[in-house]
């Protein structure tokens, strides 16, 4: 696709704006996009929306009111990190935690946010090998429990007994640290 402005170079900047139900597309080369001021000195489009700020977007995720809104004073002390002293409202303003301890100390406030953004608060992706076998053992245990439940539902009691024994062994390995017979 060629640039809509100069017609000479390939269009590398593609922008689609839908405003009030009307769709407007523009396809420009990088040079024409710079000339028209759509890049703002960066290598990606500078998407500016008149009624949307990044703070309003983050505030909606964090369940906070946007800047300028009046907030009633809080009746009780806000939870804070024991290590760095960061409060949840400070996190809501910046979008960043102060230290690793913040995750533990602010967990009750962070879990609903993480669930709202990711859909779950449990990691389901890959785990690095250097973390040892503990994470993999826990996932294996969850799978074994599902298999046990299915075996019982299908009245396969011999398979269920075998799975029960494997589950007990896996639970023992997890309690011992997860690396009893894992070689990596």
């Amino acid at each position: 696709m060629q640039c809509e402005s100069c017609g000479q170079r390939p269009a590398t900047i593609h922008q689609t704006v839908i405003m009030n139900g009307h769709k407007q597309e523009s396809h420009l080369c990088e040079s024409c996009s710079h000339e028209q001021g759509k890049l703002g000195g960066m290598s990606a489009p500078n998407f500016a929306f008149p009624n949307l700020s990044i703070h309003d977007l983050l505030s909606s995720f964090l369940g906070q009111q946007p800047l300028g809104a009046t907030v009633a004073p809080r009746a009780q002390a806000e939870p804070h990190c024991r290590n760095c002293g960061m409060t949840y409202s400070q996190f809501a303003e910046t979008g960043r935690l102060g230290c690793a301890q913040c995750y533990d100390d602010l967990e009750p406030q962070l879990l609903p946010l993480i669930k709202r953004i990711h859909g779950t608060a449990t990691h389901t992706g890959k785990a690095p090998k250097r973390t040892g076998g503990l994470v993999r053992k826990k996932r294996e245990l969850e799978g074994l429990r599902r298999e046990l439940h299915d075996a019982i539902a299908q009245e396969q009691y011999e398979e269920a007994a075998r799975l029960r024994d494997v589950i007990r062994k896996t639970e023992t390995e997890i309690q011992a640290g997860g690396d009893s017979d894992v070689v990596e």
Side-chain angles (χ1 to χ4, degrees):
M1 176 179 288
Q2 295 296 321
C3 175
E4 292 175 352
S5 181
C6 68
Q8 297 175 358
R9 292 178 289 274
T12 57
I13 308 294
H14 307 278
Q15 183 176 11
T16 303
V17 177
I18 300 173
M19 193 172 284
N20 297 330
H22 297 285
K23 181 178 177 182
Q24 181 181 4
E25 293 184 5
S26 61
H27 307 279
L28 302 172
C29 65
E30 194 168 345
S31 300
C32 292
S33 182
H34 274 292
E35 290 171 11
Q36 294 184 13
K38 290 193 176 186
L39 281 179
M42 299 187 302
S43 61
N46 182 11
F47 298 105
F49 298 99
N51 297 327
L52 179 69
S53 72
I54 192 70
H55 179 73
D56 292 342
L57 180 66
L58 286 174
S59 295
S60 69
F61 279 125
L62 299 172
Q64 300 285 319
Q65 293 184 355
L67 283 176
T70 58
V71 179
R74 297 177 187 241
Q76 50 183 284
E78 187 174 16
H80 65 281
C81 175
R82 289 175 283 154
N83 186 40
C84 69
M86 177 170 265
T87 64
Y88 183 76
S89 59
Q90 290 172 326
F91 163 71
E93 288 175 17
T94 63
R96 294 184 176 171
L97 293 172
C99 67
Q101 183 65 37
C102 289
Y103 289 98
D104 294 329
D105 292 346
L106 300 176
E107 182 179 14
Q109 292 79 24
L110 294 175
L111 274 181
L113 170 66
I114 293 169
K115 286 180 182 177
R116 193 166 51 235
I117 293 172
H118 295 288
T120 182
T122 305
H123 178 69
T124 56
K126 292 182 177 181
K129 288 184 178 181
R130 69 179 177 270
T131 62
L134 188 59
V135 173
R136 282 188 296 285
K137 289 284 185 189
K138 286 182 179 180
R139 287 196 187 144
E140 179 184 332
L141 183 61
E142 291 172 9
L144 288 169
R145 286 182 176 152
R146 282 191 299 271
E147 287 181 41
L148 175 64
H149 180 74
D150 293 343
I152 292 171
Q154 295 173 6
E155 297 181 2
Q156 297 174 348
Y157 300 115
E158 292 167 357
E159 176 67 10
R162 185 191 69 78
L163 288 169
R164 179 201 63 212
D165 295 339
V166 173
I167 287 172
R168 285 183 182 161
K169 179 182 176 198
T170 305
E171 287 174 338
T172 304
E173 290 172 0
I174 289 173
Q175 289 174 351
D179 292 328
S180 62
D181 63 331
V182 177
V183 178
E184 296 183 288

